[in-house]
Amino acid sequence: MQIILSGTGDAPELADADNFKDFRVVAQGAPDAAALAAATTEIGRSDGAEHVFVTVPALSRMAGARAEDATWRADLEGMLDVAQKHGWVDAQGAVRAHVEWRP
């Protein structure tokens, strides 16, 4: 599951929505904490230039109709359980994603 940030101001998009073992944000350009913060306000919050805490409602919204599927929801809950065990979920329930910067 990848959240794609276009770098053009478009809304973040969810790609590979059924892959719960590869959760990350893909951003365009050189690492830039301020740009990342601006680009992620509607899905959660950035933590510097290397991580984004993504809210579960934002994931569901980006998944569209997939979020209504019981199997998809169960797989999401499984991913969140693993993230919780590793300390990758904040006090508000948002899950941490690593940011991959691409030129």
Side-chain angles (χ1 to χ4, degrees):
M1 179 182 300
Q2 300 172 13
I3 298 171
I4 309 298
L5 305 177
S6 68
T8 63
D10 292 339
E13 294 183 14
L14 190 64
D16 203 11
D18 295 323
N19 183 354
F20 293 92
K21 302 211 183 282
D22 184 24
F23 183 59
R24 61 189 152 136
V25 170
V26 178
Q28 302 301 313
D32 182 333
L36 185 62
T40 57
T41 57
E42 69 181 70
I43 62 169
R45 65 176 173 81
S46 64
D47 183 19
E50 297 196 15
H51 296 102
V52 174
F53 282 89
V54 181
T55 68
V56 174
L59 284 173
S60 296
R61 185 176 63 251
M62 288 186 291
R66 296 292 296 140
E68 302 300 320
D69 180 78
T71 300
W72 190 90
R73 296 292 307 174
D75 289 344
L76 176 62
E77 290 300 322
M79 181 186 86
L80 295 172
D81 287 345
V82 170
Q84 181 73 43
K85 290 175 186 172
H86 288 282
W88 300 332
V89 177
D90 71 8
Q92 292 76 39
V95 62
R96 187 176 80 173
H98 176 75
V99 178
E100 175 185 326
W101 290 93
R102 294 183 181 170

